[in-house]
Amino acid sequence: MIALSALGSGSGGNAFLLDTPEGVLMIDAGFSARELARRVGAVGIDPSRITAIVLTHEHGDHATGARRLAGQLGIPVVATEGTLRALGLDPAAPRVPLRSASITEVGPFAIESCRILHDAAEPTAVAIEAAGVRIGFAYDLGRPTVGLRHLLRGCDGLVLEANYDEVMLRTSDYPPSVQHRIAGSGGHLSNRAAGELLGDLWHEDLSVVVLAHLSRQCNDAAVARRTVAELLDARGFRGTIAVATQDAPLGPLPVAPGPAKLRMTAQAELELF
Ligand SMILES: [Zn+2]
Ligand SMILES: [Zn+2]
């Protein structure tokens, strides 16, 4: 069992926590160190239990508090070489480089990453395994690549960007050039694109979906949830769809290894005896 919390998500800051009995991992740190500590406390976790901070990329809404919080807690920042360089960590600050197509172990967590298309130094999506549970995180991406689909396959929980509603974007005050950039391949995933990707990724162990990085101007939590639920439920999904918001933490949401995985384990044990 693992517990997933969203400390907040959106263009004003993103941060998530995975809580296991052996330690807590922070994924992105896009609020000030003080605000991160406050929100960690608000979901009932002692910040001293955080073992590392994983960063998807160096943009302020994902990394602004990372250096200070990692320094205060004496824990490493885990990110691609490009992100670590762009972050400008102190030379002596602990760090763990993430390399695509390999698994990085940090405490009880096994972390895999995949390069995504975004205007940052070396941005990634990540999938993290601990306590028999796999959880994927993907946002700030214009379109899902083959590599991303591969990374996110088989996850028990998924945190995925549902940035904008297509009609709300088209009728927004954004000039056409900005609308184009948001909807382009280096921009963001719409609610419909997120729902279609989730539908493709659906399997019977997928039990928790958190929609993330919603636009304040061009989206609405109820619209995002409805659009994704229609596409995902049609595939047979019966789990939880939650929406992470900018201002208040969400969770903790328990994510257990799915029944299919438990059955596989039971089968493997039977074969052993
Ligand atoms: Zn970004
Ligand atoms: Zn972002």
Side-chain angles (χ1 to χ4, degrees):
M1 175 80 86
I2 200 167
L4 165 67
S5 297
L7 300 185
S9 186
S11 58
N14 295 274
F16 300 86
L17 293 178
L18 291 181
D19 184 8
T20 75
E22 289 80 38
V24 176
L25 191 68
M26 179 175 281
I27 297 92
D28 281 343
F31 298 93
S32 70
R34 179 194 292 247
E35 182 63 13
L36 285 167
R38 193 186 70 76
R39 292 188 185 219
V40 170
V43 294
I45 290 174
D46 178 350
S48 70
R49 293 186 54 237
I50 300 173
T51 52
I53 299 173
V54 177
L55 296 182
T56 58
H57 61 296
E58 73 278 14
H59 287 166
D61 60 321
H62 297 266
T64 197
R67 277 168 49 176
R68 181 176 287 251
L69 188 67
Q72 285 170 353
L73 297 174
I75 58 174
V77 173
V78 184
T80 59
E81 296 277 11
T83 299
L84 288 169
R85 253 195 315 276
L87 204 63
L89 286 176
D90 290 344
R95 72 202 68 196
V96 179
L98 275 183
R99 293 190 179 86
S100 45
S102 66
I103 295 172
T104 304
E105 299 207 2
V106 180
F109 303 98
I111 306 165
E112 273 181 82
S113 65
C114 161
R115 181 76 191 257
I116 56 166
L117 215 63
H118 186 51
D119 61 345
E122 196 182 350
T124 57
V126 291
I128 296 161
E129 274 188 41
V133 175
R134 182 176 177 93
I135 302 193
F137 295 82
Y139 32 68
D140 275 8
L141 62 126
R143 63 182 167 80
T145 59
V146 172
L148 181 74
R149 287 169 186 272
H150 189 76
L151 179 81
L152 300 182
R153 199 160 292 158
C155 284
D156 306 278
L158 282 168
V159 177
L160 185 67
E161 169 172 71
N163 183 258
Y164 63 93
D165 172 75
E166 290 169 359
V167 174
M168 287 172 80
L169 177 65
R170 265 201 309 276
T171 54
S172 70
D173 293 336
Y174 287 134
S177 60
V178 175
Q179 291 188 23
H180 230 79
R181 201 170 64 232
I182 293 171
S185 62
H188 294 278
L189 284 189
S190 69
N191 297 336
R192 187 174 58 80
E196 285 172 354
L197 176 59
L198 287 164
D200 291 348
L201 293 170
W202 178 83
H203 61 112
E204 65 178 298
D205 286 350
L206 177 62
S207 59
V208 174
V209 168
V210 175
L211 304 180
H213 222 306
L214 271 70
S215 158
R216 276 193 203 271
Q217 289 81 11
C218 305
N219 212 348
D220 169 88
V223 171
R225 186 203 299 266
R226 191 170 59 239
T227 306
V228 167
E230 275 170 13
L231 290 157
L232 193 49
D233 292 353
R235 299 292 186 108
F237 178 74
R238 296 291 174 265
T240 304
I241 300 176
V243 181
T245 64
Q246 188 71 87
D247 299 322
L250 166 81
L253 301 167
V255 189
K261 211 169 281 171
L262 288 176
R263 278 202 301 279
M264 265 164 53
T265 313
Q267 188 64 32
E269 279 166 6
L270 276 178
E271 281 164 9
L272 274 175
F273 290 104

